[in-house]
Amino acid sequence: MKIWMIGLLLFISCAFHMDSASGRAEAIFQQPYYTAAWDSGGNLRLLDRSGKEILRSVQYLAEYGDLYNLLVPQIPAGTSKIKLDAKPVIPAGAAIEIRSESFGGRQNAPLVHQAKVTQVQGDELSFAPPLTKAMDTNLFIKWNGTVVRNYQKAAVHVERKPEGLLLRTVGETPVAEIETEYFFHQQKPTVEVQVKTTYKQQTKVFREALGLQFAPKVSEVYRKNRKSDTRAFQKHYWLDREGVRFGQGQQTALLYHTPHISSLELDTGQNQLLVNLDHMGEHRYVEQISGRQVGKVRHASEYKPLEQRINRFTLVVGYQPGVVPRLMLQPHGYLATHVWTEHADEQTLASNRAVYYGSERITSPDKAVGGFVRYGIPVTKSVFFANPYYRPERPLHVAISESPEFLQFLKDLHKRGTEIGLHTVYPYDLYLYGGVADDALSFMKKEFQSVTWIDHGYVKSSFGFQGLNVHTPSYLADYWQKHGTRYFWHYSSEDGTNINRSFDLLQTRLGDGKRTPLYWSHPTVTGPFYSWAAAIVPDDTVYVYHDQNLQRLVQDRGVLINHVYPARVPANKKSSAFLTRDRQGALVVQPGFDQILKKMAGLRDQKKLYLTTVRDIMNYWLALEQVRMEVQPDGSVHVYNDGPTKISGLSMAVRSAQIYVNGKKPPQKKDQGDLIFWFDLEAGARAVITPGPAVHSSN
């Protein structure tokens, strides 16, 4: 349907006028809350009932290119020629970046050297100026080959629907076709947006985004830690998939809870919101080649011709709801989250009993005098399934197959809430037969309902090495999927933070600008599996668990998933940060560490710090992706559980003196100006949230 036929044939609320600024004829759709206007190029504007602008423009942005890896652990200062893993298709004179984004927080502060290509010979690339400092760890070249700042051409289609009007724009770029649908509800203050991207060629996506330019200023920011800012705004926010409100009253636009995009970024000074449809920094994966320093960086999505991706989000326009409940990152009214994750290296049954029960002499969890079990703190504990080199006289790397006592110990922990998963199958890089992997994963599922896997060193059958590579004999993805293993730690899990700089994966202490996803599923490389972020806490840095950091974690509503070795036998045979020996030489829990656990248990008992496992927090976060929120014209907010399972203790925060769920006051408490409340939401159910006691059905 041509744009000039809309007013006559499709909808009586459509009209035309000449936009004096652009000189283009605009079609208009009017409804009670806003007016939508667009021209033949698909340029969209939204105005309030009095004609004041709300949304000024929507711009499409994209960056594509190639990544080339240096298969060496480091390069020295002065380097001006490097050898890559493939012949680079980069023209002389092109601008490039030499990057290292792996480990210790480098993902947000990469070691970048900017240069221009001077010559390409085979797989060797020369550049200038040369490096001014040495670089190391998973080095790669990033070349932005194609930068898109709008469509080459666009077509517009309009379709009348029973509940409103559908505007569809189809934009063309050198790389993809982008079909954007805007559904304008006739009687609701919403605009539903769907973007379908179809690729024309083999493509590596660095970023694809919609840039939304608003007329009114930012009035409320829904931050990634689930707090909200209403004044003293930061210049730039990475919002994860939370949201923002511009303006107030009828000249307002609101975006909140966007699980079907990659992320949101906000420039408060420019009143600009970037809706990232895909961003390579938000699904990191390096396929390691040798150790953790050399690998193939595969952060970018890798699409083939005719492959598609669909993104969706909803704008509330021309209406300011009385309350905007925010989904908390932890259930049941807790304020912050902590997860202990244990890597299984160099453990014995005795060292495990010491750190979980308080002493190696204690064999029953019911008699624990210290450690994790004494304080009821669950752990995501990784174990080896088998160790062919295990000997009772040298019992390091204790494994399930060789020690029935260890297996019983694990069963006892599992009954008390500890999560048990594999730290690969063997502690060494032994060839893993498919049948052995199948049996091991089947056993873990049957005995422990295992869903989590933690990679171990350089073992080819790891997630971060060859476990996803179907062209190698170490491929395990089919077995992981068969047995329900979903959540993975690998080296790229720790690119985002450094425990010495931040005791919080969200890193909000110095502002919200850093890109800090807590978990991710790579759109094209890692299949149906999820990675979770973590921070390594080496033995000599356990001091970071002091009172001030624990209180700040709660104050900032932060999240910390750590990577520790509490049951590792002390290297000097006497003591570590987690273990020591009593006068008789028996391993016992280190008193200082025991006090840390006691303090954390105290914060948990005060409903401040949620102590949980990777399995449980990942299940909760993924359940939040199935939550749908709709702002209603009567001032209520409807919350739907579109997922297949009940959400227990669904926790929300709101700036309101009181709150009601389905006409009743839920469990609630106050914190830093927010009212935190929580309730259960059955699969397929709806909850009606109101600031007053009006009764609504939850069916």
Side-chain angles (χ1 to χ4, degrees):
M1 184 65 66
K2 297 294 186 181
I3 189 72
W4 53 81
M5 297 177 65
I6 297 170
L8 294 175
L9 298 179
L10 286 175
F11 203 63
I12 59 173
S13 294
C14 287
F16 292 90
H17 82 288
M18 182 66 69
D19 177 29
S20 58
S22 67
R24 289 183 173 182
E26 284 188 327
I28 295 174
F29 171 72
Q30 292 179 320
Q31 55 102 277
Y33 298 96
Y34 61 82
T35 296
W38 62 93
D39 62 26
S40 57
N43 303 299
L44 176 68
R45 295 192 304 140
L46 298 173
L47 301 88
D48 71 12
R49 283 170 286 179
S50 66
K52 294 180 180 178
E53 265 192 329
I54 300 174
L55 177 69
R56 284 182 170 163
S57 65
V58 180
Q59 182 182 8
Y60 180 77
L61 312 165
E63 296 176 4
Y64 309 98
D66 277 311
L67 304 176
Y68 298 95
N69 297 280
L70 289 69
L71 301 185
V72 293
Q74 58 185 355
I75 46 179
T79 298
S80 60
K81 180 186 290 188
I82 49 180
K83 188 172 184 179
L84 304 173
D85 61 338
K87 181 180 179 180
V89 186
I90 306 177
I96 61 170
E97 293 179 347
I98 305 176
R99 301 173 71 95
S100 170
E101 298 181 351
S102 298
F103 313 110
R106 287 189 186 173
Q107 195 267 334
N108 278 294
L111 298 178
V112 177
H113 178 74
Q114 295 178 316
K116 287 190 176 181
V117 175
T118 57
Q119 188 178 38
V120 174
Q121 288 186 317
D123 60 359
E124 285 191 334
L125 181 145
S126 299
F127 58 89
L131 291 183
T132 57
K133 60 181 179 180
M135 296 177 66
D136 63 18
T137 308
N138 291 329
L139 298 161
F140 66 101
I141 296 288
K142 180 174 181 279
W143 172 55
N144 282 27
T146 303
V147 177
V148 176
R149 288 295 176 262
N150 226 318
Y151 303 132
Q152 293 174 314
K153 60 180 180 178
V156 178
H157 310 269
V158 178
E159 183 179 351
R160 174 74 169 91
K161 296 285 187 178
E163 295 181 350
L165 193 74
L166 179 66
L167 169 67
R168 181 185 298 111
T169 68
V170 181
E172 298 286 341
T173 76
V175 174
E177 177 185 272
I178 300 91
E179 180 180 305
T180 306
E181 293 184 349
Y182 303 96
F183 184 67
F184 310 121
H185 277 274
Q186 177 63 41
Q187 298 296 331
K188 293 182 180 180
T190 56
V191 180
E192 295 177 4
V193 185
Q194 176 177 289
V195 184
K196 181 169 70 174
T197 306
T198 304
Y199 295 93
K200 301 177 181 180
Q201 61 193 45
Q202 197 90 9
T203 302
K204 286 188 175 71
V205 178
F206 295 165
R207 167 186 269 180
E208 291 170 322
L210 296 181
L212 278 60
Q213 186 68 53
F214 291 89
K217 294 185 179 299
V218 172
S219 51
E220 187 167 16
V221 179
Y222 309 115
R223 299 169 57 190
K224 60 184 175 180
N225 64 356
R226 277 42 176 186
K227 291 187 176 184
S228 68
D229 285 352
T230 56
R231 55 188 176 84
F233 297 115
Q234 301 170 37
K235 183 178 180 180
H236 175 257
Y237 291 85
W238 185 81
L239 296 171
D240 196 0
R241 292 177 289 181
E242 285 298 282
V244 60
R245 176 166 60 87
F246 295 88
Q248 57 188 356
Q250 67 181 29
Q251 191 188 9
T252 188
L254 165 71
L255 181 65
Y256 180 71
H257 187 50
T258 57
H260 306 297
I261 64 168
S262 187
S263 72
L264 300 169
E265 291 183 76
L266 175 64
D267 184 326
T268 57
Q270 299 297 319
N271 296 330
Q272 184 183 66
L273 181 68
L274 278 181
V275 179
N276 287 316
L277 308 173
D278 191 355
H279 193 292
M280 65 179 282
E282 292 160 3
H283 38 71
R284 304 183 300 280
Y285 180 76
V286 180
E287 184 180 351
Q288 305 294 159
I289 305 301
S290 57
R292 71 176 190 178
Q293 286 189 286
V294 178
K296 294 189 176 183
V297 173
R298 302 186 67 184
H299 303 337
S301 297
E302 303 167 5
Y303 286 101
K304 298 175 182 177
L306 301 182
E307 286 190 328
Q308 295 181 333
R309 188 192 63 252
I310 293 177
N311 302 100
R312 299 188 301 275
F313 62 93
T314 299
L315 284 168
V316 178
V317 182
Y319 173 77
Q320 182 176 340
V323 294
V324 180
R326 287 161 272 132
L327 294 162
M328 293 286 283
L329 280 166
Q330 44 281 319
H332 300 291
Y334 288 93
L335 302 176
T337 294
H338 187 281
V339 181
W340 291 94
T341 73
E342 180 186 12
H343 292 225
D345 307 51
E346 298 173 335
Q347 299 182 2
T348 65
L349 176 58
S351 66
N352 271 281
R353 285 174 172 165
V355 81
Y356 282 87
Y357 297 166
S359 170
E360 69 170 281
R361 294 191 179 93
I362 298 174
T363 60
S364 170
D366 296 329
K367 298 179 180 179
V369 296
F372 291 110
V373 171
R374 167 66 178 83
Y375 299 106
I377 297 177
V379 177
T380 291
K381 180 176 179 57
S382 66
V383 299
F384 298 118
F385 183 76
N387 178 6
Y389 301 110
Y390 179 84
R391 297 291 181 272
E393 63 273 14
R394 193 176 184 277
L396 283 180
H397 296 311
V398 63
I400 289 173
S401 295
E402 286 72 32
S403 177
E405 285 185 287
F406 183 56
L407 174 57
Q408 184 57 53
F409 168 79
L410 296 177
K411 289 181 178 180
D412 289 339
L413 291 184
H414 180 61
K415 290 176 183 177
R416 285 157 177 80
T418 281
E419 178 186 16
I420 310 297
L422 287 179
H423 195 36
T424 64
V425 173
Y426 303 121
Y428 311 106
D429 190 27
L430 305 175
Y431 180 74
L432 180 60
Y433 292 92
V436 174
D438 195 14
D439 289 345
L441 289 164
S442 176
F443 178 89
M444 296 299 291
K445 180 179 181 180
K446 178 182 177 182
E447 293 293 339
F448 304 114
Q449 297 78 55
S450 291
V451 294
T452 300
W453 171 289
I454 294 177
D455 275 0
H456 169 61
Y458 177 53
V459 173
K460 291 186 180 70
S461 55
S462 290
F463 187 85
F465 286 80
Q466 296 179 7
L468 294 175
N469 191 335
V470 70
H471 302 295
T472 71
S474 299
Y475 177 72
L476 286 186
D478 289 346
Y479 296 117
W480 286 326
Q481 190 166 6
K482 174 183 176 181
H483 297 293
T485 304
R486 306 180 67 198
Y487 308 140
F488 291 83
W489 177 94
H490 47 103
Y491 285 131
S492 295
S493 295
E494 296 180 358
D495 294 352
T497 190
N498 183 312
I499 196 65
N500 291 311
R501 294 198 293 268
S502 178
F503 194 72
D504 178 4
L505 294 175
L506 296 175
Q507 302 181 65
T508 59
R509 176 59 44 174
L510 298 178
D512 288 28
K514 291 185 176 179
R515 197 176 308 276
T516 57
L518 296 173
Y519 68 96
W520 58 93
S521 179
H522 197 295
T524 63
V525 173
T526 62
F529 309 119
Y530 291 88
S531 305
W532 38 274
I536 187 169
V537 183
D539 289 12
D540 59 356
T541 60
V542 177
Y543 64 84
V544 296
Y545 280 87
H546 53 70
D547 289 350
Q548 186 179 24
N549 271 346
L550 289 170
Q551 293 294 340
R552 278 183 175 177
L553 185 67
V554 172
Q555 176 77 14
D556 294 342
R557 295 186 190 166
V559 174
L560 181 58
I561 304 176
N562 69 14
H563 159 185
V564 293
Y565 299 83
R568 181 159 54 187
V569 174
N572 63 6
K573 307 298 182 183
K574 291 183 180 180
S575 65
S576 68
F578 304 100
L579 297 172
T580 189
R581 293 187 183 273
D582 63 18
R583 293 179 180 179
Q584 290 73 42
L587 284 171
V588 295
V589 67
Q590 179 71 256
F593 178 62
D594 204 56
Q595 284 300 305
I596 289 172
L597 297 179
K598 183 177 180 180
K599 291 175 184 177
M600 295 180 75
L603 291 172
R604 174 201 58 205
D605 296 344
Q606 297 171 43
K607 295 282 286 189
K608 292 181 177 179
L609 185 60
Y610 185 51
L611 301 178
T612 186
T613 62
V614 168
R615 173 195 58 212
D616 290 347
I617 198 63
M618 281 296 303
N619 287 346
Y620 184 72
W621 289 340
L622 291 177
L624 294 185
E625 290 192 358
Q626 301 300 315
V627 170
R628 176 167 48 95
M629 299 174 63
E630 292 185 358
V631 172
Q632 301 297 315
D634 64 0
S636 65
V637 176
H638 292 190
V639 179
Y640 298 85
N641 179 5
D642 292 335
T645 58
K646 173 183 176 181
I647 305 177
S648 296
L650 177 62
S651 189
M652 308 186 85
V654 68
R655 288 188 177 274
S656 178
Q658 59 181 1
I659 205 74
Y660 291 80
V661 177
N662 298 327
K664 299 179 180 180
K665 279 192 174 183
Q668 55 194 261
K669 65 182 182 182
K670 293 183 178 180
D671 179 70
Q672 301 178 68
D674 281 332
L675 188 65
I676 313 293
F677 63 100
W678 56 99
F679 56 95
D680 295 345
L681 192 59
E682 298 286 347
R686 178 188 67 175
V688 178
I689 299 176
T690 59
V695 177
H696 294 267
S697 170
S698 62
N699 294 328

